[in-house]
Amino acid sequence: MRLFDTHIQELKYEVIKELIKSYDNQTLDVAYRDIPKIIVPGPEAKMRCCIYKERAILQERIRLAMGGDKDNPTAVEVIDIACDECPAEGIFVTPACRGCLAHRCKDACPKDAISIVNHRAVVDKEKCIECGKCVAACPYNAIIKQQRPCIVSCKAGAISLDENKKAVINRNKCISCGACVYQCPFGAISDKSMILEVLDLLKASDHSKNYRVYAVIAPSIVSQFKYAKIEQVVTGIMQLGFHQVVEAALGADICLYKEVHEFAEKGTLTTSCCPAFVMYVEKNFPELKPYISSSLSPMCQAALLIKKSDPTAKVVFIGPCSAKKVEYKLEKTMGAIDSVLSFEELQAFLDARGIDAATLPETALDNASYYGRIFAKAGGITQGIVHIAKEQGVEGLNPISMNGIDQIKVNMLKLKLKRAEHNFFEGMACEGGCINGALCLNHGPKNALDVDKYGNEAREKTIENSVKLFKL
């Protein structure tokens, strides 16, 4: 069974796995030299023009795996040396051009940028404004608008090209959603890893003698490690040195409870669960900040519960989200989370330590409700808020589930212009929700079925007991 969707993910995984081994063997000082040779032994290149370029790019991946640029507040960075394969964007006439007599492409162009030469359309790049009208007009689909995958994937409009045709990320626009990380076919944009931070936390705990390290897992984890049961994965996480594994879905229950009461007070509210969504609103619709829920995200709610019961505890979040690598450092999270791991990094961690989850005994997870667990999919929050509003007697709720930045942009614009039909806005930056987070092992619609099954297996069908725990 393939663990990952792409070979780029496999490459990131290999780097993290070898870095963990290097940490365990106390050879981090030579990691930059040795790891590239392990992954690309040579003598022939497999991915680039030569093994020297492959190894140079791997050194940059190691730098990001060791935390990357500490002065860069975003969770993603461009690997310049890897960003040199994609053609520049623009309007192109393909060989499919039939040299027709209608010349609809020429007539559609508002800048007279298309001429007919030898019965074929030719685009004048100096005149072309890339409006795409010729693309729409051609009956043979022979004209295409070519854009770099990273630019197309970035719905926040944070990626552009510099004078050398390299990708550049605008920090003021970037919401660290990681869409560019997953979509770049050359892996030239990558997320920064906090794995060394996590390794240090576990090492300093000395097998829970000095303090306990807890793992808070995102509910979307049930759709990821398909080769084992989630209960076996939990056992594997504990064998890595974590004292206990707690569901972020428990925090989601608390979040639902808080948000429905905040809605009752304000009358209009947007969720705070997705940090990329929150950052998008803050950066693009600052006047809507008062509508953002003041509740901390499920990740933080669960961590705060842990730290109230165990004040010396350290908490690591494990999930599919690169934006969480920004969120946990924000002042408003009150230090609830001490570090963040992705699902990709968790797989590398297990394999580096030789832990095969499929062979392990099961450790039960039973500390969240059905509604908390289905937060992982788009629409899950809306289902939960409708339920709890009815349970709490809150009237007037008219929610909408915004699936992806395109839908978020439209509905936030309506809210800004006071033309919104709804008054509660669930925002998920990743289309499909957390089950399609950029740092998932795999992506696809079937993951929603796994989450539904996981939710139905919850012993608690309502959030009542979770909220009782929160109140206590």
Side-chain angles (χ1 to χ4, degrees), residues 11 37 49 90 248 348 386 389:
L11 191 58
K37 293 180 181 179
C49 58
V386 168

Side-chain angles (χ1 to χ4, degrees), residues 233-298:
V233 176
V234 170
T235 303
I237 293 172
M238 294 177 68
Q239 288 190 5
L240 291 172
F242 290 93
H243 171 70
Q244 188 176 349
V245 178
V246 177
E247 294 183 78
L250 171 63
D253 286 334
I254 297 168
C255 198
L256 278 174
Y257 175 80
K258 287 192 167 188
E259 287 190 347
V260 78
H261 285 84
E262 190 173 357
F263 166 78
E265 294 175 6
K266 293 182 176 180
T268 302
L269 198 70
T270 74
T271 55
S272 60
C273 304
C274 172
F277 162 60
V278 172
M279 281 189 275
Y280 181 80
V281 174
E282 290 174 341
K283 292 184 177 186
N284 295 277
F285 298 94
E287 57 277 282
L288 299 183
K289 284 183 182 181
Y291 295 121
I292 300 174
S293 172
S294 61
S295 172
L296 294 179
S297 67

Side-chain angles (χ1 to χ4, degrees), residues 4 54 59 75 109 112 185 277 302 330 341 343 372 421 435 457:
F4 305 103
E54 288 183 353
Q59 287 182 329
C109 181
D112 195 28
F277 162 60
L330 299 178
L341 282 182
F343 292 150
E421 301 93 357
I435 55 174
E457 289 172 352

Side-chain angles (χ1 to χ4, degrees), residues 70-138:
K70 300 298 191 295
D71 295 325
N72 184 347
T74 67
V76 298
E77 292 184 24
V78 177
I79 302 174
D80 281 350
I81 192 174
C83 182
D84 63 356
E85 302 290 344
C86 294
E89 57 193 79
I91 301 291
F92 292 91
V93 179
T94 72
C97 178
R98 301 283 295 172
C100 66
L101 301 179
H103 299 165
R104 288 190 175 94
C105 56
K106 186 178 188 302
D107 295 337
C109 181
K111 296 297 181 181
D112 195 28
I114 295 183
S115 57
I116 307 300
V117 179
N118 295 327
H119 305 292
R120 297 178 65 83
V122 176
V123 178
D124 185 335
K125 295 293 185 180
E126 296 297 322
K127 293 181 180 180
C128 180
I129 59 172
E130 299 181 9
C131 65
K133 291 183 178 180
C134 59
V135 177
C138 178

Side-chain angles (χ1 to χ4, degrees), residues 302-348:
L304 287 176
L305 267 184
I306 292 169
K307 291 191 172 182
K308 284 178 181 177
S309 63
D310 187 351
T312 65
K314 303 295 182 183
V315 182
V316 175
F317 176 74
I318 303 175
C321 179
S322 55
K324 290 293 185 185
K325 296 183 178 185
V326 174
E327 182 192 9
Y328 91 98
K329 296 179 181 179
L330 299 178
E331 186 177 345
K332 67 180 179 181
T333 62
M334 300 186 292
I337 297 293
D338 295 282
S339 197
V340 170
L341 282 182
S342 71
F343 292 150
E344 294 173 336
E345 291 159 349
L346 173 59
Q347 184 63 64

